[in-house]
């Protein structure tokens, strides 16, 4: 990447989210290679072919998740493909609605102008804004002043836009590690669970996850949002230690420690659509 003078200009194109995953007309010769322990498959829904990723597990029922990569299905090992496809058709209205919602949200985000990586740029942080300050220095150095809400990057001669973006991203991740650990330790006793470990995630379309081994992963981009929204995701993932599903019993666990979870869920969705495009 060429050396850029200050102020560092914005990138020509930024695509934070992947392209849509549309329904397609039937392909007479689909190629369905397995990937990452999941099998890519297709099912006829009405007059269209719906692609989905299938993972087998020890769970007792068929589960569905729609994210920016499309439909993911988790099914018990004993289930036949016919059982799985019938379950997809039975849920097709919900699935198609969620896929359409994802496409609309992605399109809305891509319409927003990208952040210009220059001195004085405004960045989202804990529900508010901080100001990016860039200056030449003898060595690379990152400092945040909570009083002035300024994130200062000392940059050596020849620093590039890519370096600035990576430095800012690493700062977010460092802040996330400390804050997430603090909030997990606060909420775990309230939920009545113990988690095994925590890691910071960079997933494209998931704010958090919890494994059967009680490993919690939280997306560092949650640092863009206010603390109550972060707490909602923390409570949500801890509740999965009780229930690895989204059943009424699961939401009851969430509701005992975070009664406003429905409002938080909707607000998190809206706030994510309002964010500027930061990182390609």
């Amino acid at each position: 990447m060429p050396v850029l003078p200050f102020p560092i200009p914005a990138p020509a194109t930024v695509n934070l989210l992947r392209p849509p995953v549309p329904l397609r007309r039937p392909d007479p010769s689909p190629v369905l290679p397995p990937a990452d322990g999941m099998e890519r498959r297709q099912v006829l829904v009405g007059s269209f072919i719906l692609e989905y990723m299938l993972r087998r597990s020890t769970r007792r029922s068929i589960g569905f998740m729609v994210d920016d990569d499309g439909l993911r299905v988790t099914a018990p090992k004993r289930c036949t493909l016919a059982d799985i496809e019938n379950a997809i058709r039975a849920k097709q209205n919900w699935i198609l609605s969620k896929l359409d919602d994802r496409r609309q949200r992605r399109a809305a985000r891509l319409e927003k102008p990208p952040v210009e990586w220059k001195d004085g740029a405004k960045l989202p942080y804990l529900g508010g804004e901080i100001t990016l300050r860039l200056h030449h220095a003898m060595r690379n150095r990152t400092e945040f002043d909570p009083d002035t809400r300024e994130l200062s990057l000392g940059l050596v001669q020849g620093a590039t836009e890519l370096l600035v973006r990576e430095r800012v991203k690493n700062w977010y991740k460092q802040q996330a590690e400390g804050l997430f650990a603090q909030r997990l330790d606060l909420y775990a006793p309230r939920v009545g669970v113990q988690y095994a470990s925590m890691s910071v995630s960079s997933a494209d379309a998931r704010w958090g996850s919890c494994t059967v081994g009680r490993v919690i992963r939280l997306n560092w981009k949650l640092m863009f949002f206010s603390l109550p929204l972060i707490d909602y995701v923390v409570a949500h993932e801890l509740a999965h230690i009780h229930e690895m599903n989204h059943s009424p019993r699961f939401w009851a666990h969430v509701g005992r420690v975070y009664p406003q979870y429905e409002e938080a869920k909707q607000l998190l969705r809206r706030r994510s659509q309002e964010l500027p495009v930061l990182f390609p």
Side-chain angles (χ1 to χ4, degrees), residues 116-133:
E116 295 187 34
W117 294 98
K118 63 182 182 181
D119 184 68
K122 301 297 183 180
L123 305 175
Y125 182 63
L126 294 180
E129 283 188 335
I130 58 176
T131 303
L132 180 64
R133 293 300 183 193

Side-chain angles (χ1 to χ4, degrees), residues 5 72 121 129-130 137 143 220 267:
R72 298 174 184 267
E129 283 188 335
I130 58 176
E143 293 181 324
W220 63 267
L267 183 58

Side-chain angles (χ1 to χ4, degrees), residues 232-262:
Y232 158 67
V233 178
V234 167
H236 183 117
E237 300 309 329
L238 286 170
H240 275 310
I241 297 177
H242 284 300
E243 298 284 340
M244 296 297 291
N245 52 52
H246 290 100
S247 65
R249 287 183 300 181
F250 164 80
W251 289 113
H253 286 296
V254 177
R256 275 193 290 272
V257 298
Y258 201 105
Q260 300 82 20
Y261 68 84
E262 190 62 45

Side-chain angles (χ1 to χ4, degrees), residues 55-205:
R55 182 171 67 88
R56 299 288 189 167
S57 78
T58 57
R59 63 176 294 157
R60 290 178 286 183
S61 60
I62 299 174
F64 303 94
M65 185 184 76
V66 174
D67 59 23
D68 287 323
D69 292 319
L71 172 63
R72 298 174 184 267
V73 180
T74 304
K77 296 178 181 179
R78 69 177 185 277
C79 279
T80 66
L81 286 176
D83 291 335
I84 295 168
E85 291 180 357
N86 286 336
I88 291 173
R89 293 188 183 100
K91 293 275 290 186
Q92 64 178 291
N93 290 339
W94 179 88
I95 291 169
L96 297 180
S97 174
K98 290 294 184 182
L99 286 171
D100 185 62
D101 180 60
R102 284 283 177 176
R103 283 191 286 269
Q104 292 184 29
R105 289 165 59 188
R106 183 186 301 111
R109 283 184 59 81
L110 294 179
E111 289 177 357
K112 297 183 180 301
V115 167
E116 295 187 34
W117 294 98
K118 63 182 182 181
D119 184 68
K122 301 297 183 180
L123 305 175
Y125 182 63
L126 294 180
E129 283 188 335
I130 58 176
T131 303
L132 180 64
R133 293 300 183 193
L134 306 179
H135 59 91
H136 290 294
M138 296 300 296
R139 61 187 180 89
N140 290 327
R141 187 174 181 178
T142 303
E143 293 181 324
F144 178 65
D145 187 333
D147 295 326
T148 62
R149 298 185 64 80
E150 292 183 339
L151 179 64
S152 298
L153 269 61
L155 301 170
V156 299
Q157 186 68 33
T160 64
E161 176 192 320
L162 176 61
L163 176 63
V164 173
R165 290 203 309 265
E166 289 303 307
R167 290 267 303 280
V168 172
K169 183 188 297 185
N170 288 338
W171 178 80
Y172 274 118
K173 290 180 178 180
Q174 291 170 1
Q175 300 301 304
E177 287 179 358
L179 182 62
F180 294 168
Q182 177 194 83
R183 307 316 286 180
L184 283 167
D185 290 344
L186 175 66
Y187 274 91
R190 299 181 184 182
V191 180
V193 297
Q194 290 183 335
Y195 66 97
S197 63
M198 182 275 294
S199 63
V200 174
S201 163
S202 298
D204 285 340

